[in-house]
Amino acid sequence: MGMQDVWVRAQSIVSGSRTVRADTIVQVKWDRQSSQYLTLVVKGGEEVYHQVRPYGAQPLEEKDGTALADGLLSAMAASAALPGGHLLVLHEVGDAAPNGTGLQWCRAAMNGTGEQPAPDRGAEPV
């Protein structure tokens, strides 16, 4: 078991929806210039963007953007320690979120083909 069993669902207006294997992610970053996205840097230098705010919405505060990036890294590590395959999805959880974004990383089980149950069923906050 390990990072190769953990996947991250990245969705953005720019690049659509992609599922990225956690062991190919070398960096997760958020910066003020592109505040509506988290940037997942994958091996080879490709950047995959993940929308954390609707286009035109209030920009994230730095502490919240950083919290989402750090939260993904800790969710990847926590999920890699568990048996089976896992998909990490950023969910809107509103006031239940531990940060000011209303968003939290949630983990859903994946089956062997890489498919996962609908995120609203069987996903748990990480």
Side-chain angles (χ1 to χ4, degrees), residues 3-24:
M3 285 288 184
Q4 70 269 25
D5 298 309
V6 180
W7 298 75
V8 178
R9 165 68 49 78
Q11 292 170 292
S12 75
I13 295 167
V14 178
S15 49
S17 179
R18 283 185 54 183
T19 306
V20 182
R21 217 169 74 191
D23 67 345
T24 67

Side-chain angles (χ1 to χ4, degrees), residues 4-5 21 25 39 51 58 60 63 65 77 81 84-85 87 92 95 100 102 104 108-109 113:
Q4 70 269 25
D5 298 309
R21 217 169 74 191
I25 297 171
T39 303
Q51 198 100 21
Q58 281 293 98
L60 290 184
K63 64 177 173 50
L87 178 74
E92 288 198 29
D95 294 340
Q104 184 171 8
T113 63

Side-chain angles (χ1 to χ4, degrees), residues 19-105:
T19 306
V20 182
R21 217 169 74 191
D23 67 345
T24 67
I25 297 171
V26 293
Q27 188 184 7
V28 180
K29 59 186 182 178
W30 176 89
D31 68 63
R32 201 179 289 283
Q33 276 62 52
S34 50
S35 66
Q36 77 253 38
Y37 298 110
L38 284 181
T39 303
L40 310 182
V41 184
V42 296
K43 284 179 183 157
E46 184 191 0
E47 296 191 342
V48 179
Y49 298 101
H50 184 47
Q51 198 100 21
V52 291
R53 267 283 175 271
Y55 187 75
Q58 281 293 98
L60 290 184
E61 290 186 28
E62 188 143 2
K63 64 177 173 50
D64 292 330
T66 305
L68 287 177
D70 291 347
L72 176 55
L73 294 173
S74 58
M76 283 167 29
S79 300
L82 297 170
H86 303 280
L87 178 74
L88 296 173
V89 184
L90 195 58
H91 268 308
E92 288 198 29
V93 293
D95 294 340
N99 55 49
T101 63
L103 299 167
Q104 184 171 8
W105 290 101

